[in-house]
């Protein structure tokens, strides 16, 4: 075998390379030998590779996430792999001369272990939430009720989230240096004397007190008021609309809900509970082509039975009115007074992420150092 | 035909000519044909670059987004690396016998999928990380394709002797060369993965989500990580590694352009679409 390909150069090797470091006692030694086996490492790598391939071919998407990537056994495999790498690599590199080549390798494998530690640390303290706000709305940041979805680590405490979160305005067609960012949210977070305000869009987040705010999704919301025949206003609410893709690729903006990955048009109770509902309403909004935040609202009203459930059958009243206009239905008058935007914003706190992201560069540097070391060495020959 | 398309198909034809020269050179054991192959590859490279430049200047938007553009870039990097390697060392002249057919077929495939240049760049793609990402991915592909080409020459030289095979470097030199290209490719793939993590972190706030594109790139990275370890910890050399490099190349093409592009990866939700 030529000297160039011998891994550590000066010392001839037996393959597979065997560990040089061994604990003395019997039981720790058994455990250690198990983890320090290069065959175990190869087997794990191949199994993980096969799982990945399965997760993008045979089962896919959400199913793959549930069955494989988010499962306990798959994550356990990853943990075992890292323990295995640690034992394998450090057992073998022990007592070996420190050279450019082995230094790079040490950097590389250390950062692998650091990545795992970062992930574990993060999993204990992280917070991920989706907060939904209409323009002008202010919610308490530390109140779990303010979030649609919450996912958090065992040791995360809501007291970290201080003050309020508010959406000031959404700007559509937002441009930066000629690049169309589509939608940008002007938001403000934090408490009285420690507040931060800023604009977020798809490649630009807002960071405050370790929490990151990302834009996620946005939609229209119509302020719908209910008045009696004499014009006395009885009730009003912002009704968020979903954008629903139609067969001809156009979009319908209407009250709706999400079913699996599909968004479907559906009715909402109006007024919304706890106020006693009078009817169920399907609301749709047609954008004005000439003016932002203008257009026509279409109403469909359905009667409720004694239990407050929507009765089957056609709507008992339908009608349209321009934004700001009126639609009379029986003894009531409905009006879509104004158009605002609602947004879904992701709030994230990931204290271990910096360790992970930094380690990635350290790993790359290690690889480059090892490769350069090998090049230099063979260049000298 | 539009000038852009004319140039594109000229490049494909010249790569085709190069492909045939290399293959017949191999069969007829005529190393003059390798020179024909190399120079027609060089001739094809000019229109190839011109097409990319034209698309780019048409809108000012980087033309590396759609599958056809991505293939065009991958072949561009391959040709660049191949030509630099060939003109700087004269050691492995028949290398094009694998590199050229693959490039020819991939570029021809890109041609059948070609669309008009995009008028706008989706906001998620307006990030500096995209550059590191696509350069890492395409240059990584170029390196492992050349490694596979060296693997093929290794296997051929092992079985044949005389003529053109005499002029090839020793088996273990070819083997080490292939290993070099895999190491380089592995570093470039790592760069692709890291920049992808940072990009995703910038857009979504998480660096890894087991999304199909991410998993496919992990597959390509692991494939070559395993290659390196078979070599450095298990001591595999020569024939076994040459076969590995060839088979891994197929996996690479599938995991780059075969499947990921056909699945939808950006979650569609409630986002307002203004037509
Ligand atoms: C996914 C996990 C791993 C990756 C990506 C990885 C990557 C690398 C890389 C890039 C090198 C340098 C190769 C070269 O010189 O060209 C290396 C060397 C090495 N790795 Fe790993 N490694 C991993 C896990 C492991 C495991 C599980 C073991 C245990 C068997 C291990 C043991 C070693 C050893 C002993 C060397 C040095 C070999 C020598 O003496 O030259 N690594 N690794």
């Amino acid at each position: 075998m030529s000297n160039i390909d011998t891994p550590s150069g000066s010392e001839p090797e037996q393959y597979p390379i065997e560990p040089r470091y061994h604990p003395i006692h019997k039981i720790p030694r058994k455990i250690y030998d198990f983890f320090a086996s290069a065959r175990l490492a190869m087997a794990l790598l191949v199994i993980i590779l096969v799982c990945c391939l399965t997760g993008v071919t045979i089962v896919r998407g959400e199913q793959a996430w549930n069955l494989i990537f988010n499962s306990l056994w798959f994550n356990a495999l990853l943990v075992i792999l890292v323990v295995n790498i640690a034992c394998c690599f450090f057992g073998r590199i022990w007592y070996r001369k420190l050279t450019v080549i082995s230094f790079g390798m040490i950097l590389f494998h250390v950062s692998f272990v650091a990545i795992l530690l970062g992930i574990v640390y993060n999993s204990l303290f992280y917070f991920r939430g989706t907060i939904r706000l209409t323009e002008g709305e202010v919610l308490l940041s530390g109140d779990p009720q303010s979030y649609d979805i919450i996912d958090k680590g065992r040791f995360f405490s809501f007291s970290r989230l201080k003050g309020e979160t508010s959406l000031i305005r959404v700007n559509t067609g937002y441009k930066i240096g000629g690049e169309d960012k589509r939608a940008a949210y002007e938001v403000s977070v934090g408490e009285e004397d420690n507040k931060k305000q800023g604009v977020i869009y798809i490649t630009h987040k807002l960071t405050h007190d370790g929490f990151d705010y990302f834009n996620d999704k946005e939609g229209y919301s119509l302020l719908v008021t209910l008045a009696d025949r004499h014009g006395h206003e009885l009730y009003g609410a912002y009704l968020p609309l979903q954008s629903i893709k139609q067969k001809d690729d156009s979009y319908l903006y209407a009250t709706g809900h999400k079913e699996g990955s599909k968004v479907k048009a559906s009715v909402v109770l109006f007024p919304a509970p706890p106020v006693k509902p009078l009817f169920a309403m399907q609301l749709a909004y047609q954008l004005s082509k000439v003016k932002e935040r203008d257009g026509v609202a279409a109403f469909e009203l359905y009667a409720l039975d004694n239990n407050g459930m929507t009765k089957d059958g056609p709507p008992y009243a339908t009608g349209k009115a321009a934004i700001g206009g009126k639609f009379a239905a029986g003894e009531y008058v409905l009006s879509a007074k104004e158009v605002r935007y609602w947004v879904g914003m992701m709030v994230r706190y990931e204290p271990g992420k910096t360790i992970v992201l930094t380690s990635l560069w350290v790993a790359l540097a290690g690889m480059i150092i090892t490769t350069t070391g090998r090049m230099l060495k063979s260049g000298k020959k | 035909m539009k000038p852009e398309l004319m140039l594109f198909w000229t490049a494909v034809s010249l790569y085709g000519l190069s492909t045939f020269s290399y293959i017949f050179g191999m069969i007829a054991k005529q190393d003059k044909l390798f020179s024909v192959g190399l120079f027609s590859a060089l001739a094809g490279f000019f229109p190839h670059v011109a097409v990319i430049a034209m698309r780019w200047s048409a809108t000012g938007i980087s033309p590396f987004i759609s599958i056809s553009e991505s293939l065009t870039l991958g072949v561009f990097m391959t040709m660049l690396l191949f030509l630099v390697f060939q003109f700087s060392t004269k050691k492995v002249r028949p290398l094009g016998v694998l590199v050229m057919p693959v490039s020819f077929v991939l570029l021809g495939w890109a041609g059948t999928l070609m669309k008009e240049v995009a008028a706008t760049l989706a906001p998620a793609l307006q990030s500096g990380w995209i550059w590191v990402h696509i350069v890492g991915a395409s240059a990584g592909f170029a390196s492992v394709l050349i490694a596979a080409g060296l693997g093929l020459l290794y296997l051929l030289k092992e079985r044949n002797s005389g003529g053109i095979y005499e002029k090839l470097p020793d088996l273990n030199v070819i083997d080490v060369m292939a290993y070099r290209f895999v190491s380089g490719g592995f570093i470039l793939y790592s760069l692709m993965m890291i920049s992808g993590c940072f990009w995703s972190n910038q857009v979504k706030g998480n660096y890894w989500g087991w999304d199909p594109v991410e998993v496919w790139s992990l597959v390509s990275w692991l494939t070559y990580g395993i290659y390196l370890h078979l070599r450095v910890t298990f001591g595999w050399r020569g024939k076994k590694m040459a076969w590995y490099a060839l088979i891994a190349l197929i996996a690479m093409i599938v995991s780059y352009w075969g499947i990921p592009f056909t699945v939808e990866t950006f979650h569609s939700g409630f986002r307002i679409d203004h037509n």
Side-chain angles (χ1 to χ4, degrees), chain A residues 133-375:
Chain A
L133 297 149
T134 303
E135 285 170 306
E137 193 173 358
V138 180
L139 291 175
L140 281 176
S141 307
D143 181 0
Q145 300 272 314
S146 301
Y147 299 86
D148 282 357
I149 305 168
I150 288 179
D151 183 7
K152 64 186 186 62
R154 186 167 306 229
F155 298 119
F156 177 78
S157 149
F158 274 97
S159 61
R160 284 193 165 275
L161 276 159
K162 298 199 179 72
E164 296 164 341
T165 307
S166 65
L167 177 67
I168 299 161
R169 197 186 150 79
V170 173
N171 301 299
T172 52
Y174 193 75
K175 285 206 169 63
I176 299 244
E179 286 179 329
D180 185 2
K181 304 293 181 189
R182 300 218 178 127
Y185 317 162
E186 231 175 292
V187 294
S188 141
V189 291
E191 53 190 340
E192 212 45 32
D193 49 354
N194 182 16
K195 230 182 173 73
K196 188 155 178 188
Q197 188 172 328
V199 177
I200 62 180
Y201 48 87
I202 193 153
T203 47
H204 188 260
K205 65 184 176 186
L206 178 77
T207 303
H208 181 61
D209 262 356
F211 287 83
D212 289 330
Y213 296 82
F214 291 89
N215 79 334
D216 186 19
K217 50 199 171 205
E218 58 274 341
Y220 297 108
S221 186
L222 296 188
L223 169 62
V224 179
T225 58
L226 178 78
D228 64 16
R229 281 274 167 198
H230 309 291
H232 294 300
E233 274 192 11
L234 307 170
Y235 176 78
Y238 282 99
L239 301 183
L241 306 181
Q242 314 288 8
S243 55
I244 302 162
K245 195 162 189 173
Q246 303 300 106
K247 284 207 181 70
D248 61 356
D249 280 349
S250 67
Y251 283 86
L252 170 71
Y253 304 105
T255 47
H257 69 286
K258 216 173 161 187
E259 221 177 79
S261 61
K262 276 214 162 65
V263 185
K264 294 207 162 139
S266 60
V267 295
V268 290
L269 293 175
F270 199 81
V275 183
K276 187 175 183 313
L278 297 167
F279 44 78
M281 176 164 73
Q282 168 76 66
L283 178 65
Y285 166 52
Q286 218 170 17
L287 308 185
S288 155
K289 291 223 163 62
V290 282
K291 196 167 155 223
E292 250 248 308
R293 303 180 191 243
D294 204 357
V296 176
F299 301 86
E300 281 181 11
L301 307 185
Y302 297 82
L304 299 177
D305 62 20
N306 293 337
N307 299 324
M309 303 294 277
T310 313
K311 280 187 191 158
D312 286 341
Y316 73 80
T318 59
K320 286 186 176 182
I323 299 300
K326 292 188 169 78
F327 160 57
E331 45 190 305
Y332 297 107
V333 176
L334 285 165
S335 172
K337 287 239 157 109
E338 62 165 13
V339 181
R340 290 197 180 185
Y341 285 96
W342 63 264
V343 310
M345 204 159 49
M346 278 186 297
V347 183
R348 309 184 77 126
Y349 172 69
E350 319 250 3
K353 203 159 72 177
T354 330
I355 306 175
V356 176
L357 293 179
T358 314
S359 304
L360 291 175
W361 292 118
V362 176
L364 187 69
M367 268 186 240
I368 293 174
I369 291 173
T370 300
T371 310
T372 316
R374 281 190 197 284
M375 299 275 213

Side-chain angles (χ1 to χ4, degrees), chain A residues 1-2 4-7 15-17 38-39 42 45-46 48-49 52-53 56-57 60 65 69 74 78 92 108-109 112 119 172 179-182 202-205 214-220 242-243 250-251 253 257-258 261 263 287 292 341-342 346 348 350 353 356-358 360-361 364 367-368 371 374-375 378, chain B residues 120-127 129 132 172 175-176 179-180 183-184 186-188 190-191 193-195 197-207 209-213 215-216 218-223 225-227 229-237 244 259 262-263 266-275:
Chain A
M1 193 176 305
S2 87
I4 310 174
D5 1 315
T6 331
Y15 292 105
I17 301 174
R39 291 210 168 73
M42 272 301 159
L45 286 178
V46 172
I48 289 168
L49 185 70
C52 285
L53 280 172
V56 283
T57 50
R60 287 189 185 188
W65 169 252
F69 300 126
F74 184 72
L78 296 178
R92 284 167 176 75
F108 184 81
H109 291 84
F112 233 71
I119 292 172
T172 52
E179 286 179 329
D180 185 2
K181 304 293 181 189
R182 300 218 178 127
I202 193 153
T203 47
H204 188 260
K205 65 184 176 186
F214 291 89
N215 79 334
D216 186 19
K217 50 199 171 205
E218 58 274 341
Y220 297 108
Q242 314 288 8
S243 55
S250 67
Y251 283 86
Y253 304 105
H257 69 286
K258 216 173 161 187
S261 61
V263 185
L287 308 185
E292 250 248 308
Y341 285 96
W342 63 264
M346 278 186 297
R348 309 184 77 126
E350 319 250 3
K353 203 159 72 177
V356 176
L357 293 179
T358 314
L360 291 175
W361 292 118
L364 187 69
M367 268 186 240
I368 293 174
T371 310
R374 281 190 197 284
M375 299 275 213
S378 67
Chain B
T120 56
L121 189 60
L125 303 177
Q126 297 165 2
S127 158
W129 289 116
V132 186
N172 75 328
D175 184 42
V176 170
Y179 166 48
R180 284 281 149 72
S183 297
F186 187 67
I187 289 175
L188 290 160
S190 307
L191 197 61
M193 303 256 298
I194 295 174
S195 56
C197 290
F198 273 77
W199 183 9
S200 160
N201 183 45
Q202 182 188 32
V203 172
K204 297 185 285 186
N206 68 344
Y207 51 85
W210 296 106
D211 144 313
V213 169
V215 177
W216 277 112
L218 180 66
V219 167
S220 39
W221 186 76
L222 277 178
T223 307
I226 291 175
Y227 174 104
H229 279 83
L230 285 175
R231 207 179 166 97
V232 296
T233 46
F234 286 80
W236 283 27
R237 293 289 182 275
Y244 192 111
I259 302 175
T262 64
V263 295
F266 267 81
H267 43 201
S268 38
F270 294 167
R271 190 171 289 283
I272 301 180
D273 289 85
H274 294 279
N275 310 311

Side-chain angles (χ1 to χ4, degrees), chain B residues 49 114 122 163:
Chain B
V49 172
M114 197 147 62

